[in-house]
Amino acid sequence: MSTTRKEAVRRYPKLGQLIAGEMKYDGGRSTMEVIDPTTGTPLGLVSMATEADAAEALAAASRGFDIWRRTSAFERSALLRRVAVRMREKAQELAELLVLELGKPWNEALGEVDVAAGMWEWAAEEGRRAYGRVIPSRENHARQLVLIEPVGPVAAFVTWNGPLVTPSRKMSGALGAGCSIVLRASEEVPACAFALGQIVYECGLPAGVLSVLSGDPVMLSTRLLESPVTRAVTFTGSTNVGKLLSQQAVAHMKRPIMELGGHAPVLAFESIDVPLFARRAVAAKFANSGQVCFAPTRFYVQRSIYADVVEAMTAEAKEIVVGCGFDPNTQMGPLKSERRLRAVEQMVDDARQFGLRVTTGGAVLDRAGFFYQPTIVADVTTHAKLSNVEPFGPIAAVTPFDTYEGAIALANRLPYGLSAFVHARDFETLHRATNDLEAGNVICNGWRVTYPETPFGGHKESGMFCEGGIEGLRAFQNVKYASFS
Ligand code: NAD
């Protein structure tokens, strides 16, 4: 690591509105503080877009779409590749913003830069393969074609837990498919999205194809969705806000691409290697302080190994070093905000009221910032809040099961259907559970849920359409049928 926290705080950028390639700093816009989760003190100010900014970004997106859709897929691909290269060149700078805004440990932050750059590489490749097809005609000499086209200007909204990967998914997907995009940055971690937008322009994006705004979510979503310019809306965040935005989108007949909340079950069968399982489960659970939509959260463990798994996971969680992301020993940083800290605290208090066993953690750390201990709650019943509400924090809930059918019923009982994990040695159990689990991603004997080239999306109330993979690009494309007689 080449930097100290103090130096990094001094370098935190001045933020404006990035409209049509130009960073606009003045104009008397109101501002809001961006809070450093490591200390609870302000890092800088994010400016609030005005109605005029929204109108300007929409006009730019309309002009930008006209340019970008006529740019060849090969030129678009070359630009997206340059973005990935530039991101890797600026990895230290971007990682610094991630540690400052989200409190991530340094190596996790570098990992996020790498994953985000990989998304641009994937979209660069796959964007060149918008293949249509030829359908054999009923008439001689006729030709029937299926063409794939960009859907149009996209309105994008992101949350705070993946400050670089989430804007990268949306920007690279939309731009790779030939769309223009107006992205509303998260007010809690805005600098990463703006830095990314500036990199895209440094790499030669024509003015107007991308704008990044920050500001009042209701005003911006209303303006961007009611405008005839935008043709699709992509949102990453909670199911509640996703439902609101979907209704707004559908009222204006725009495609709602929704990446929403989860509460991922893990089924652990008695054939597993318990120490290995516990080590990797704890690493997956507490990455990003548990603030990951696909993080494993509800652990259902076969009764014959239940006590051993609880003990092993507890021992592993106790070893996690919690602290400032710039400290090389840190394995887990703070939660993003006071709001998230209180939500996690209440969830554990509620578990205690139900008489559940907190085997490690279970308290706010006595220091500045929003730190909570890595926490394991055992013997969790379906009545507890923790069983029903996504924790989105460093809490693992562990529950025993007796039969395969009982475990599947527990896993599927919530309206969420984002990710699910199955750990067992026999293929039959894995295969059966893959069919029976109601989730957009089922991960067997592993923990990595998403790569740039694999589709990621939720079933049930966890979302609509996918990001990543071929499917992620398709979400930003329209199908057109053309015939020649
Ligand atoms: P949230 O939905 O409350 O907020 C997300 C963002 O939406 C914020 O920036 C907020 O300002 C904005 N917002 C609020 N109202 C809006 C509106 N009317 N129009 C437009 N934007 C609006 O979510 P949160 O609690 O901050 O984030 C955590 C949630 O995000 C969790 O549920 C998590 O699972 C989910 N998430 C899902 C994915 C995925 O890919 N499925 C990825 C990351 C996070």
Side-chain angles (χ1 to χ4, degrees):
M1 194 192 321
S2 65
T3 196
T4 67
R5 213 191 85 76
K6 242 185 182 164
E7 289 164 3
V9 171
R10 259 203 307 273
R11 282 196 287 268
Y12 189 77
K14 184 174 177 204
L15 299 170
Q17 306 289 325
L18 179 64
I19 302 179
E22 198 192 328
M23 223 20 185
K24 294 177 188 281
Y25 294 105
D26 304 319
R29 296 173 185 87
S30 59
T31 54
M32 227 177 100
E33 285 178 339
V34 182
I35 302 297
D36 176 351
T38 304
T39 57
T41 55
L43 266 178
L45 296 172
V46 57
S47 87
M48 308 295 275
T50 59
E51 300 254 356
D53 290 330
E56 211 183 314
L58 282 163
S62 175
R63 291 192 309 274
F65 180 54
D66 237 28
I67 299 168
W68 196 236
R69 66 196 284 240
R70 291 174 213 285
T71 303
S72 81
F74 283 79
E75 276 180 68
R76 293 198 299 245
S77 168
L79 180 128
L80 266 62
R81 256 187 195 295
R82 288 198 294 277
V83 174
V85 169
R86 194 76 188 117
M87 286 174 77
R88 294 192 196 286
E89 285 167 0
K90 290 190 149 198
Q92 302 275 321
E93 238 174 88
L94 293 168
E96 188 173 298
L97 290 179
L98 282 164
V99 180
L100 284 179
E101 290 194 325
L102 193 57
K104 276 178 105 111
W106 182 256
N107 283 337
E108 261 187 48
L110 282 177
E112 178 161 347
V113 178
D114 184 54
V115 170
M119 290 169 174
W120 289 87
E121 281 156 357
W122 166 255
E125 278 308 308
E126 198 53 32
R128 299 194 304 176
R129 300 193 190 107
Y131 302 142
R133 64 185 200 277
V134 179
I135 299 176
S137 164
R138 295 174 182 220
E139 295 165 34
N140 263 344
H141 311 299
R143 274 276 178 270
Q144 303 182 139
L145 304 182
V146 177
L147 306 172
I148 304 293
E149 298 182 338
V151 65
V154 172
F157 302 88
V158 292
T159 187
W160 47 267
N161 70 316
L164 205 56
V165 289
T166 313
S168 283
R169 274 256 209 242
K170 301 202 183 294
M171 288 183 197
S172 66
L175 297 178
C179 303
S180 58
I181 175 167
V182 180
L183 180 132
R184 177 193 177 267
S186 158
E187 65 279 27
E188 295 182 271
V189 292
C192 291
F194 282 103
L196 184 61
Q198 286 174 302
I199 287 175
V200 184
Y201 275 108
E202 273 169 41
C203 292
L205 188 76
V209 182
L210 163 73
S211 291
V212 181
L213 305 177
S214 51
D216 177 29
V218 176
M219 183 279 279
L220 284 174
S221 59
T222 307
R223 291 297 163 264
L224 298 188
L225 266 65
E226 71 186 8
S227 161
V229 168
T230 52
R231 298 305 329 149
V233 50
T234 170
F235 170 74
T236 295
S238 65
T239 295
N240 283 344
V241 175
K243 283 181 181 175
L244 277 176
L245 282 182
S246 302
Q247 282 165 9
Q248 264 180 289
V250 169
H252 297 285
M253 211 41 84
K254 306 199 169 162
R255 183 177 305 165
I257 304 164
M258 294 289 142
E259 307 300 336
L260 310 177
H263 199 338
V266 181
L267 305 188
F269 290 87
E270 62 189 1
S271 55
I272 61 169
D273 173 336
V274 171
L276 184 68
F277 171 85
R279 189 160 69 247
R280 299 206 172 141
V282 163
K285 166 69 251 177
F286 297 104
N288 214 29
S289 307
Q291 303 169 124
V292 179
C293 54
F294 53 76
T297 48
R298 295 179 289 141
F299 290 80
Y300 299 118
V301 180
Q302 199 157 6
R303 198 174 294 277
S304 53
I305 55 165
Y306 179 70
D308 292 346
V309 168
V310 171
E311 191 186 331
M313 284 181 68
T314 302
E316 292 287 343
K318 277 188 174 147
E319 294 298 310
I320 295 174
V321 179
V322 181
C324 167
F326 287 108
D327 180 337
N329 297 320
T330 294
Q331 292 170 308
M332 190 181 103
L335 297 182
K336 172 54 203 160
S337 57
E338 173 83 29
R339 171 177 70 99
R340 289 307 315 154
L341 187 66
R342 296 304 151 216
V344 164
E345 192 181 27
Q346 275 170 16
M347 205 164 260
V348 176
D349 287 350
D350 172 89
R352 285 199 172 100
Q353 272 170 27
F354 276 103
L356 310 184
R357 228 169 8 110
V358 178
T359 63
T360 185
V364 173
L365 258 68
D366 185 17
R367 56 177 284 176
F370 310 127
F371 291 89
Y372 199 86
Q373 294 172 330
T375 299
I376 309 266
V377 185
D379 309 344
V380 175
T381 54
T382 53
H383 308 292
K385 194 169 178 183
L386 180 54
S387 290
N388 300 295
V389 178
E390 177 187 23
F392 218 58
I395 321 174
V398 198
T399 305
F401 73 80
D402 292 305
T403 62
Y404 171 88
E405 289 73 17
I408 292 287
L410 282 168
N412 288 342
R413 62 178 276 279
L414 295 183
Y416 297 114
L418 192 55
S419 302
F421 302 82
V422 197
H423 286 251
R425 285 249 175 90
D426 63 303
F427 185 73
E428 197 192 326
T429 303
L430 298 174
H431 184 66
R432 211 175 146 198
T434 304
N435 287 335
D436 291 340
L437 285 164
E438 296 170 355
N441 306 271
V442 178
I443 308 303
C444 298
N445 290 341
W447 301 99
R448 176 92 190 241
V449 174
T450 161
Y451 294 89
E453 63 275 21
T454 57
F456 176 67
H459 292 181
K460 295 159 81 178
E461 293 197 3
S462 289
M464 276 188 275
F465 295 98
C466 285
E467 292 190 318
I470 297 170
E471 293 78 3
L473 255 87
R474 286 285 177 269
F476 292 114
Q477 290 167 329
N478 268 343
V479 169
K480 182 183 273 176
Y481 166 69
S483 74
F484 300 80
S485 300

